[in-house]
């Protein structure tokens, strides 16, 4: 198994057989890719929450009684027919589940990338998480 | 999941007696310039296979397609159970936070009047049953999340797909009517 400590190196094999890095330029590109992956990960978290909020604000369903906080247009009229409402909620929830799968997979990919014990990659993941958080979280409170 | 990958490394050290057909050279700090890593004991890239796949414990080795199918189903159900456990814990936490303490205290107001300011505290007692139950469930959740991470770390394509699909299906089924309060700051959530 690879050495169990962080090293600075231009050689690495990340995740897949074809992703083998052997030059500084390749390493720079790999760090960039990993950084973007981390940004995507943070955005997915925010995306899931926003999708939920959006669905709640545009649907008036019985589930809203269980829900708290910001969603606050109180349109209490149940004007939409039930089947259409349920279908929209189903589609929204299905979309959220897909985002969740993507989030789980990307989270594991980031963990495996850090497991390569390459310090540049590690910096890329950490920096990407920071940048992703910085860019995505303000969008959470935007209406 | 708020754990680091390095926790899983110590478990892999104990698996050093894996029976692999390729010989293992002494591990180098810097990989050879050929870039080939097939001689590494533990796979470091994704692969699809079902021969000699060791999963978590010393006796759990997959050798046939049938065993791999069984392992796929088991991992799928484990990931689904993990998602369900997360949702269940959130629900239990909300239900048990019924003890609300109101604490009123007088504070000076703008015109020299005295205003009553009321503080509301929501919480659980330490030795109450809901809190103990939450703790036990938390331990189970942490253990399962580490198991899922270690399974993903086998780099076996089938098992990784099982983890992802199980997580997605579990999320879909269990948070159907979930409440909005989502703790998205939880890592890997």
């Amino acid at each position: 198994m690879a050495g169990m400590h962080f090293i600075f190196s231009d050689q690495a094999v990340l995740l897949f057989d074809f992703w083998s890095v052997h030059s500084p330029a390749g390493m720079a590109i790999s760090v960039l890719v990993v950084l973007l992956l981390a940004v995507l990960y943070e955005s997915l978290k925010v995306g899931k929450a926003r999708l939920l909020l959006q669905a709640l604000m545009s649907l008036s369903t019985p589930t809203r009684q269980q829900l708290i906080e910001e969603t606050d247009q109180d349109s209490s009229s149940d004007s939409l027919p039930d089947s259409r409402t349920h279908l929209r909620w189903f589609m929204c929830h299905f979309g959220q589940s897909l985002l969740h799968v993507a989030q789980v997979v990307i989270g594991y990919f980031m963990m495996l990338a850090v497991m390569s014990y390459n310090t540049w990659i590690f910096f890329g993941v950490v920096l990407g998480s920071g940048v992703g958080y910085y860019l995505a979280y303000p969008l959470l409170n935007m209406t | 999941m708020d754990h680091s990958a390095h926790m899983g490394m110590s478990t892999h050290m104990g698996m050093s007696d894996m029976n692999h057909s390729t010989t293992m050279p002494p591990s180098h700090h810097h990989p050879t310039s050929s870039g080939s890593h097939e001689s590494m004991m533990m796979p470091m890239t994704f692969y699809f296979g079902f021969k000699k796949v060791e999963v978590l414990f010393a006796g759990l080795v997959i050798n046939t397609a049938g065993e791999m199918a069984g392992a796929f189903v088991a991992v799928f159900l484990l990931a689904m159970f993990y998602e369900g456990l997360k949702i269940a814990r959130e629900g239990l936490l909300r239900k048990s936070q019924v003890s609300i303490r109101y604490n009123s205290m007088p504070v000076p107001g703008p015109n020299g009047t005295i205003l009553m300011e009321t503080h509301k505290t929501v919480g659980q007692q330490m030795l109450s049953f809901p809190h103990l139950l939450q703790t036990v469930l938390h331990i189970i959740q942490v253990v399962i999340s580490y198991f899922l991470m270690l399974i993903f770390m086998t780099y076996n394509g089938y098992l990784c797909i099982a983890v992802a699909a199980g997580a997605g299906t579990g999320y879909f089924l269990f948070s159907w009517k979930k409440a909005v309060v989502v703790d998205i700051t939880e890592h890997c959530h």
Side-chain angles (χ1 to χ4, degrees), chain A residues 1-9 11-18 20 22 41-42 45-46 48-49 52-53 56 62-63 66-71 86 89-90 93-94 96-98 100-101 103-105 107-117 122 129 133 137 140, chain B residues 1 3-6 9-10 12-13 24 27-38 40-47 83 86 94 145 148-150 152-153 155 160 163-165 167-169 171-182 184-189:
Chain A
M1 181 134 88
M4 302 281 273
H5 47 268
F6 280 110
I7 57 168
F8 282 99
S9 164
Q11 321 253 359
V13 178
L14 296 169
L15 294 175
F16 299 100
D17 281 326
F18 55 80
S20 81
H22 11 251
Y41 178 75
E42 299 292 330
K45 288 205 277 192
V46 171
K48 260 200 321 186
L52 187 62
L53 243 114
L56 291 173
T63 58
Q66 301 173 17
L67 312 174
I68 330 178
E69 288 183 311
E70 300 94 33
T71 70
H86 278 142
W89 175 245
F90 177 87
H93 194 61
F94 189 72
Q96 266 184 282
S97 302
L98 291 181
H100 184 77
V101 172
Q103 191 188 318
V104 164
V105 169
Y108 276 121
F109 278 7
M110 279 165 50
M111 185 259 311
L112 292 174
V114 172
M115 224 174 77
S116 67
Y117 263 115
F122 180 64
S129 294
Y133 181 90
Y137 269 63
L140 195 60
Chain B
M1 292 176 278
H3 50 257
S4 73
H6 303 303
M9 297 299 242
S10 54
H12 269 268
M13 293 304 260
M24 183 187 71
S27 59
H28 298 282
H29 290 183
H30 300 280
T32 58
S33 52
S34 66
S36 154
H37 284 251
E38 278 96 36
M40 289 293 179
M41 183 172 64
M42 189 183 105
M44 296 295 273
T45 55
F46 285 110
Y47 70 96
E83 293 292 329
K86 275 201 294 201
R94 263 197 325 281
S145 75
L148 289 175
M149 179 201 65
L150 290 172
F152 211 94
M153 244 169 68
Y155 270 107
C160 294
V163 170
T169 312
Y171 179 88
F172 183 75
L173 291 179
F174 288 113
S175 66
W176 181 252
K177 282 194 183 248
K178 193 165 80 92
V180 172
V181 184
V182 176
I184 59 173
T185 55
E186 186 191 307
H187 191 54
C188 293
H189 189 278

Side-chain angles (χ1 to χ4, degrees), chain B residues 81-139:
Chain B
F81 176 73
Y82 175 72
E83 293 292 329
L85 185 62
K86 275 201 294 201
I87 308 291
R89 277 192 66 210
E90 283 177 31
L92 275 177
L93 189 65
R94 263 197 325 281
K95 270 193 225 160
S96 72
Q97 278 176 344
V98 290
S99 67
I100 300 177
R101 281 198 327 269
Y102 286 95
N103 192 11
S104 301
M105 31 188 269
V107 294
N111 295 334
T113 57
I114 306 281
L115 302 172
M116 287 296 282
E117 192 176 275
T118 308
H119 297 269
K120 178 173 132 174
T121 331
V122 178
Q124 286 178 316
Q125 288 207 318
M126 276 195 77
L127 292 182
S128 64
F129 176 70
H131 189 55
L132 291 176
L133 182 63
Q134 281 283 329
T135 308
V136 169
L137 291 181
H138 178 79
I139 294 174

Side-chain angles (χ1 to χ4, degrees), chain A residues 45-140:
Chain A
K45 288 205 277 192
V46 171
K48 260 200 321 186
R50 277 196 65 87
L51 204 62
L52 187 62
L53 243 114
Q54 220 174 40
L56 291 173
M57 294 211 286
S58 63
L59 299 171
S60 60
T61 69
T63 58
R64 282 189 72 179
Q65 272 81 38
Q66 301 173 17
L67 312 174
I68 330 178
E69 288 183 311
E70 300 94 33
T71 70
D72 231 49
Q73 279 121 353
D74 215 349
S75 63
S76 52
S77 69
D78 226 350
S79 52
L80 293 171
D82 257 12
S83 58
R84 210 175 105 204
T85 308
H86 278 142
L87 180 66
R88 287 190 65 182
W89 175 245
F90 177 87
M91 294 302 295
C92 161
H93 194 61
F94 189 72
Q96 266 184 282
S97 302
L98 291 181
L99 285 186
H100 184 77
V101 172
Q103 191 188 318
V104 164
V105 169
I106 292 184
Y108 276 121
F109 278 7
M110 279 165 50
M111 185 259 311
L112 292 174
V114 172
M115 224 174 77
S116 67
Y117 263 115
N118 188 295
T119 322
W120 300 119
I121 301 291
F122 180 64
F123 285 166
V125 168
V126 171
L127 205 60
S129 294
V131 169
Y133 181 90
Y134 181 72
L135 293 178
Y137 269 63
L139 301 178
L140 195 60

